[in-house]
Amino acid sequence: MVAETQNGRETDGALGEWLADELLRRILSGEVPVGSWIRHAAVAEEFGVSRTPVREALRVLHAQGVVTITPNRGARVNGHSGRDIRELGAVRGELEGLAAELAAGLIDDDQLRRLNSAWDRYDRAVDAHQAADPEADPAGVTEAARLWAEANEDFHGVILEAAASHQLSLTIAEISRRLPRNSAFAAYAGNSRLLRQNSAEHRQIAEAINAGDAARARRAMTRHVRSSAEALARWVENQGQSRDR
Amino acid sequence: MVAETQNGRETDGALGEWLADELLRRILSGEVPVGSWIRHAAVAEEFGVSRTPVREALRVLHAQGVVTITPNRGARVNGHSGRDIRELGAVRGELEGLAAELAAGLIDDDQLRRLNSAWDRYDRAVDAHQAADPEADPAGVTEAARLWAEANEDFHGVILEAAASHQLSLTIAEISRRLPRNSAFAAYAGNSRLLRQNSAEHRQIAEAINAGDAARARRAMTRHVRSSAEALARWVENQGQSRDR
DNA sequence: GGCCCCAGTTTTGCATCCAATCGATCCGTC
DNA sequence: GACGGATCGATTGGATGCAAAACTGGGGCC
């Protein structure tokens, strides 16, 4: 249970930083459920460090809006209401729309190739997911699902890279921290129609960028991000009815 | 120099948090110059606390992109190149544009009144600033300058409030942390033409919101924020030529 | 039977202490 | 005189210790 003290962590002497990343990963992946408390002592023991770097990591996560620290009480993982998710979708839609607009004018051959590859892989992963999963895996973390999630990240990542704006990337990364991905995972894994729609939207965006049509790329991207957020918001709201919190 | 240990700080037991705010304020105001190192011991002594909360505060500022922490070396205040500032202007332009669009449809009477008040105060402060300052105050922190800076904050603040999107506010606040305001201060204080132009842009935005024309409000706001950033970027680039860093 | 109060325990928050690392300076050698 | 290496000082990074605050449970009182 303690065990890992040095499982190749390459910390560069920034232990608190590394802890923040690791905790963030667990929170986004859903290993640490929304609403749960994070205890200094528990984390410290698990990673084989003292409470000091744990405190630092938690304060960083608090500053990033991932957890909330109540004085003398502790840190708990932030959840988001449907409204929050829609708002985040609007914000992210603007920024990714801007990225798509910039990318349409700046993308190079290699990035274009990777963009089309990502879109293609996404498509095929959805096919595989739909074919191989006849309600057999309610948890939704099939291999195919992992693949389309990865392809999706690549798709958006290449566009962001092509936009070549460091501050834009930073800001989008900041927003992504506020949205647990496993929610998106679960919301999409069970709804093939959404996956298909996403795929079609990706194709439209890729086409516009291929054609160098900045305005169209932007509109398509903004619409895509917003509709994804809308779907996620509805899923969360439905879940909320049956699950206590 | 030590002195203040308890000058009404009302910390609620969140000392690290308070320190981060205070340090951020000093950095944004320019009291702590860009590029300078921030030493744990110095800050700890000045505020009469131990190094532990100082460390936490610096890590928070690092996570927010305000300072950079080099392992085993320390934290130094981040500056921004002209390019960074233009990128930030593009990002912020999108988000404040969205805010203006939303505000045009949601603003209530009281907010509308405060919006027009802010715009009016800005105008008058610029008049006063221009009249009272015949190159007499190169530092640029005249009373009139303070007034227009405040009116400017109010103007943007009311629009953001009317947009009624918590996540949007959070994101814009996040971006604001990356831009030292004293730069903007100094850049504008010496250039009346820019102040006038800003004033005119504010009026256009206010008019569009008054008229409930969301699309026009958005365009005007985006253009306004971008041109402000462009002016600031040029000022920083010119400064950079004569000043070492 | 329900409510309130009080002690015990848990947990956070900060301070202090010790180790590790980096840069600077000084010395020796070529 | 210049370069290379070792030692010293300064500074950060992490661990531990201790006090304060908040939850928990139990007992007494109304």
Side-chain angles (χ1 to χ4, degrees):
Chain A
M1 209 176 291
V2 172
E4 47 190 10
T5 307
Q6 68 237 54
N7 53 358
R9 67 184 180 211
E10 298 291 334
T11 65
D12 288 5
L15 196 44
E17 211 74 13
W18 175 75
L19 268 176
D21 283 352
E22 182 61 19
L23 286 175
L24 176 63
R25 194 188 61 72
R26 294 192 180 192
I27 290 169
L28 289 183
S29 79
E31 290 175 55
V32 180
V34 163
S36 65
W37 293 96
I38 301 182
R39 303 271 163 232
H40 295 179
V43 178
E45 188 184 1
E46 175 171 6
F47 292 96
V49 299
S50 86
R51 281 175 41 221
T52 308
V54 176
R55 274 177 53 87
E56 287 176 14
L58 288 177
R59 252 182 217 293
V60 168
L61 293 179
H62 173 61
Q64 292 172 340
V66 177
V67 304
T68 299
I69 293 183
T70 310
N72 293 316
R73 295 289 314 281
R76 75 186 324 186
V77 179
N78 280 341
H80 291 284
S81 65
R83 173 174 182 161
D84 285 323
I85 292 173
R86 287 188 183 87
E87 289 182 5
L88 281 169
V91 170
R92 184 167 186 160
E94 293 304 316
L95 298 181
E96 295 231 29
L98 174 61
E101 177 181 331
L102 294 171
L106 295 170
I107 197 165
D108 66 27
D109 288 353
D110 180 59
Q111 289 162 340
L112 210 47
R113 189 186 53 70
R114 283 187 286 144
L115 179 68
N116 290 323
S117 156
W119 157 68
D120 188 52
R121 279 183 291 135
Y122 183 89
D123 246 25
R124 279 181 300 167
V126 171
D127 285 343
H129 176 68
Q130 202 167 358
D133 183 29
E135 303 281 334
D137 186 1
V141 194
T142 61
E143 176 65 10
R146 202 187 60 74
L147 279 178
W148 60 249
E150 186 181 305
N152 185 54
E153 299 252 341
D154 286 352
F155 183 84
H156 289 269
V158 170
I159 292 174
L160 202 49
E161 176 190 326
S165 171
H166 182 219
Q167 300 294 330
L168 179 56
S169 298
L170 277 181
T171 311
I172 290 179
E174 176 70 26
I175 293 171
S176 302
R177 281 193 204 103
R178 301 196 203 127
L179 264 191
R181 290 223 178 68
N182 74 313
S183 313
F185 231 71
Y188 280 81
N191 192 332
S192 292
R193 201 184 57 76
L194 282 179
L195 287 169
R196 290 288 166 206
Q197 183 184 329
N198 255 9
S199 172
E201 288 172 355
H202 278 189
R203 216 187 78 206
Q204 287 174 15
I205 295 165
E207 273 176 12
I209 292 179
N210 272 307
D213 187 339
R216 188 155 61 93
R218 182 202 185 102
R219 280 195 307 271
M221 178 63 95
T222 301
R223 199 169 42 219
H224 165 57
V225 173
R226 287 197 182 209
S227 76
S228 297
E230 177 61 32
L232 180 55
R234 288 188 191 168
W235 184 84
V236 166
E237 283 165 353
N238 285 340
Q239 286 299 103
Q241 290 176 356
S242 57
R243 210 163 70 185
D244 59 331
R245 176 6 191 104
Chain B
M1 210 175 290
V2 172
E4 46 191 8
T5 305
Q6 69 238 52
N7 53 358
R9 68 186 180 209
E10 298 291 334
T11 65
D12 287 2
L15 197 43
E17 209 74 11
W18 176 73
L19 269 175
D21 283 352
E22 182 61 20
L23 287 175
L24 177 64
R25 194 189 61 73
R26 293 191 180 192
I27 291 169
L28 289 182
S29 78
E31 288 175 57
V32 180
V34 163
S36 65
W37 293 96
I38 300 182
R39 302 272 161 231
H40 295 179
V43 178
E45 188 184 1
E46 175 171 5
F47 291 97
V49 299
S50 88
R51 279 176 44 220
T52 308
V54 176
R55 275 174 51 90
E56 288 175 12
L58 287 177
R59 253 184 216 291
V60 168
L61 293 179
H62 173 61
Q64 293 174 338
V66 177
V67 304
T68 298
I69 293 183
T70 310
N72 292 315
R73 295 294 313 283
R76 77 187 321 187
V77 180
N78 279 343
H80 291 284
S81 66
R83 173 174 182 161
D84 285 324
I85 293 173
R86 287 187 183 87
E87 289 182 5
L88 281 169
V91 171
R92 184 167 186 158
E94 294 303 317
L95 298 181
E96 295 231 28
L98 173 62
E101 177 181 330
L102 293 172
L106 294 171
I107 198 164
D108 65 27
D109 289 353
D110 180 60
Q111 288 162 339
L112 210 48
R113 189 185 53 71
R114 283 186 286 145
L115 178 69
N116 291 323
S117 157
W119 158 67
D120 187 52
R121 279 183 290 135
Y122 183 89
D123 246 27
R124 279 182 300 169
V126 171
D127 286 344
H129 176 70
Q130 202 167 0
D133 184 28
E135 304 283 332
D137 187 2
V141 194
T142 62
E143 174 65 10
R146 200 187 59 74
L147 279 178
W148 60 250
E150 186 181 304
N152 185 55
E153 299 252 341
D154 286 353
F155 183 83
H156 289 270
V158 169
I159 292 174
L160 202 48
E161 177 190 325
S165 170
H166 182 218
Q167 300 294 332
L168 180 56
S169 298
L170 276 181
T171 311
I172 290 180
E174 176 71 26
I175 293 171
S176 302
R177 276 193 271 274
R178 301 196 202 126
L179 263 191
R181 292 227 175 65
N182 75 311
S183 314
F185 230 72
Y188 279 81
N191 192 331
S192 292
R193 199 185 59 75
L194 281 179
L195 286 169
R196 290 288 166 204
Q197 184 185 327
N198 255 7
S199 172
E201 289 172 355
H202 277 190
R203 217 188 77 208
Q204 288 175 14
I205 296 165
E207 273 177 11
I209 292 179
N210 271 307
D213 187 339
R216 188 155 62 94
R218 182 201 186 103
R219 280 195 307 272
M221 178 63 95
T222 301
R223 199 168 43 219
H224 165 59
V225 172
R226 287 199 181 207
S227 77
S228 297
E230 176 62 32
L232 180 55
R234 288 189 190 168
W235 183 83
V236 166
E237 283 165 352
N238 286 339
Q239 286 299 103
Q241 290 175 356
S242 57
R243 210 162 70 186
D244 58 333
R245 202 301 225 144

